[in-house]
Amino acid sequence: MNLQERDKAVNWHPYTQMKTADDAIPIVKGKGVYLFDDKGNKYIDAVSSWWVTLHGHAHPYIAQRVSEQLHTLEQVIFAGFTHEPAIQLSENLLKLLPQNQQKVFYSDNGSTAVEVALKMCIQHAYNQGKEKTKILAFKNAYHGDTFGAMSVSGRSVWTKPFGEMLFEVIFIDTPTSENIEDIKAQISAYQDEVVCFIYEPLIQGAAGMLMYNAEDLDNLMKFCRANDILMIQDEVFTGFGRTGKLFAANYLSEKPDIMCFSKGLTGGTMPMGITTCSNEIYNAFLSDDKYKTLFHGHSFTANPLACTAALASMELLLNDETQQSIQRISGQHFSFSKVLREHSKVENVRQTGTILAWEIKNDHKTSYFNEIGKKLYDEFLSRGIVMRPLGNVMYLVPPYCVSTEELNFIYKNILQVLDSF
């Protein structure tokens, strides 16, 4: 049996209707921006393998650091014990975040980072004897696939089977200068009951790379702060340079109480989630009463190998070469976006930093299940490019190591595909 046959016999793939799906492509090697399959074909990974691979595949520096750590300490229970990689990672990350972020809680993916944040907020109120349990979230939000993360995500066919099991959430529009007062009025109607507001800053990724203004988010955050509503900033996607700055927080004057991270945290090398919070949140759990403890944890909390990968990735992120690459990619995207705007088959072109998105004009409502997406996916694969359209929404989220020539190759093929469709 070949790899495809063996895979089909045993594996169940994510977001995949296994009955009708094509056989999975066996990838045997990754190097830089490229993936190589078992037949020797190579593909440019234009989506950073689900938005996680910051510095390219099999980066030698990250591999070296993880290998060294593997020979020193691979795992230790993080209840009652600690270790240098976790301490150093927390110290290094907090230096880059808004000053009010002062404590780090480790988990193992973006969904659980969100779960931790929600539990922090709800128990923060509970520990102080406050009856506040309602949560604000944006329409079309996506925060993960665990039950709490699904609850604060937009209701859709993805969540429908579990609809009666998800807790109540107040969904609001993303803010604009035109609707901000209406949003504030909607929130005010529940003011005494709302414990927190969770949001994807600047970009709603899985919703179709929907983008909105930092100034309008600042306005809404300021209102939440004035009304004692805690704020959870989900930077699972936007963190670590994707927006052109280190974090979406760098575009904002208002600061969240809690922040969530994953995806690019380890440069795509290993799973890890982080939830950071202010001392004000942390202190609400300090008590002689053991029942006020945050009872949450994971077997692999603060895994030394993942912490080491994150430390190495962060070093690479902060060096001048990477920062220059981020600005170069952002600039190339900006120039190409002007070309896309002139194309007769394209609409709603938008860009933030290294993220570029646009829509293919069609007669059907924009949808994740739009058949255009599958046709585009297959066409780009045949051209040696991995793209994963969200229905008729196309986007680029390349690794920071992508060269000018490789980006131009992607752009050229995008135009050729648009012309032929």
Side-chain angles (χ1 to χ4, degrees):
M1 294 174 69
N2 62 29
L3 287 175
Q4 285 183 325
E5 293 168 335
R6 289 167 58 195
D7 176 83
K8 199 168 186 177
V10 295
N11 287 333
W12 189 347
H13 290 265
Y15 293 105
T16 301
Q17 176 44 259
M18 298 301 294
K19 183 174 182 178
T20 58
D22 296 335
D23 290 343
I25 298 171
I27 298 299
V28 297
K29 178 183 177 182
K31 184 175 183 181
V33 75
Y34 291 100
L35 295 166
F36 300 83
D37 71 16
D38 60 339
K39 296 180 176 63
N41 300 312
K42 71 176 183 178
Y43 309 88
I44 294 180
D45 187 354
V47 295
S48 297
S49 289
W50 247 336
W51 321 342
V52 301
T53 305
L54 297 189
H55 311 293
H57 295 280
H59 195 285
Y61 180 65
I62 300 177
Q64 174 195 338
R65 292 284 302 277
V66 171
S67 177
E68 292 169 355
Q69 183 61 44
L70 187 59
H71 287 83
T72 304
L73 175 67
E74 87 299 344
Q75 168 65 4
V76 63
I77 182 175
F78 207 58
F81 294 89
T82 191
H83 52 81
E84 173 66 24
I87 297 168
Q88 189 67 60
L89 178 56
S90 295
E91 290 172 343
N92 290 5
L93 178 60
L94 291 176
K95 289 175 184 176
L96 303 177
L97 299 181
Q99 289 185 348
N100 69 333
Q101 300 299 294
Q102 295 161 320
K103 289 293 187 293
V104 173
F105 193 98
Y106 287 95
S107 59
D108 48 14
N109 60 66
S111 296
T112 50
V114 167
E115 296 281 341
V116 171
L118 294 171
K119 290 175 74 172
M120 282 179 176
C121 288
I122 293 169
Q123 192 174 343
H124 175 268
Y126 178 86
N127 282 0
Q128 298 177 88
K130 298 178 182 178
E131 296 185 11
K132 298 175 71 173
T133 57
K134 291 191 182 299
I135 295 171
L136 293 173
F138 284 143
K139 297 174 183 176
N140 300 310
Y142 176 79
H143 295 287
D145 293 329
T146 51
F147 268 84
M150 278 198 299
S151 293
V152 295
S153 298
R155 301 296 189 261
S156 67
V157 293
W158 295 355
T159 61
K160 190 173 182 179
F162 320 103
E164 297 302 315
M165 305 174 74
L166 304 180
F167 56 73
E168 180 186 355
V169 171
I170 302 166
F171 289 104
I172 58 177
D173 291 321
T174 50
T176 67
S177 56
E178 289 78 21
N179 70 11
I180 187 66
E181 295 306 319
D182 290 338
I183 294 173
K184 290 177 180 178
Q186 183 183 357
I187 296 172
S188 294
Y190 298 94
Q191 180 179 328
D192 295 334
E193 304 171 80
V194 175
V195 65
C196 66
F197 166 42
I198 183 169
Y199 54 94
E200 299 159 273
L202 310 186
I203 305 162
Q204 293 184 292
M209 300 296 171
L210 304 178
M211 302 182 187
Y212 63 103
N213 292 329
E215 295 81 3
D216 296 319
L217 179 57
D218 259 330
N219 192 340
L220 182 55
M221 292 174 69
K222 187 174 183 179
F223 178 80
C224 288
R225 177 74 65 212
N227 287 276
D228 195 28
I229 297 171
L230 297 175
M231 289 174 282
I232 302 171
Q233 187 154 304
D234 179 353
E235 295 233 22
V236 168
F237 172 41
T238 55
F240 306 102
R242 284 296 179 204
T243 64
K245 297 187 179 184
L246 285 179
F247 302 97
N250 297 117
Y251 290 91
L252 300 165
S253 57
E254 296 296 319
K255 305 306 177 189
D257 301 280
I258 296 175
M259 299 179 73
C260 303
F261 305 96
S262 189
K263 288 198 181 292
L265 174 60
T266 68
T269 306
M270 304 186 77
M272 173 171 267
I274 279 180
T275 307
T276 64
C277 71
S278 65
N279 271 338
E280 196 275 331
I281 298 288
Y282 176 78
N283 289 339
F285 292 80
L286 298 182
S287 174
D288 293 326
D289 181 356
K290 291 186 178 180
Y291 292 110
K292 291 189 175 181
T293 301
L294 178 63
F295 292 109
H296 192 101
H298 301 271
S299 301
F300 290 94
T301 293
N303 173 258
L305 300 176
C307 288
T308 299
L311 282 165
S313 177
M314 204 175 301
E315 286 180 44
L316 294 171
L317 176 66
L318 295 176
N319 70 34
D320 290 342
E321 183 180 354
T322 303
Q323 289 300 305
Q324 290 166 8
S325 290
I326 289 172
Q327 299 311 311
R328 172 181 54 79
I329 295 166
S330 300
Q332 283 188 258
H333 278 355
F334 179 75
S335 297
F336 184 59
S337 72
K338 291 191 285 187
V339 177
L340 283 175
R341 286 188 175 92
E342 297 301 317
H343 201 286
S344 61
K345 297 179 183 177
V346 171
E347 60 187 353
N348 298 330
V349 180
R350 58 257 190 198
Q351 182 216 348
T352 300
T354 68
I355 306 161
L356 175 63
W358 65 97
E359 294 169 28
I360 307 298
K361 291 180 182 178
N362 72 107
D363 296 330
H364 305 287
K365 184 180 179 181
T366 299
S367 167
Y368 179 85
F369 298 99
N370 192 311
E371 287 301 316
I372 291 177
K374 176 64 167 63
K375 294 175 182 177
L376 291 167
Y377 175 77
D378 290 341
E379 178 61 28
F380 280 101
L381 271 184
S382 72
R383 293 166 176 262
I385 302 170
V386 178
M387 294 182 70
R388 191 177 171 84
L390 298 163
N392 71 318
V393 177
M394 298 183 67
Y395 66 88
L396 293 175
V397 185
Y400 303 148
C401 64
V402 68
S403 69
T404 297
E405 293 73 25
E406 288 159 346
L407 268 182
N408 286 335
F409 174 79
I410 295 170
Y411 297 155
K412 181 182 75 173
N413 277 272
I414 288 170
L415 294 176
Q416 290 176 352
V417 171
L418 288 173
D419 289 340
S420 65
F421 244 62

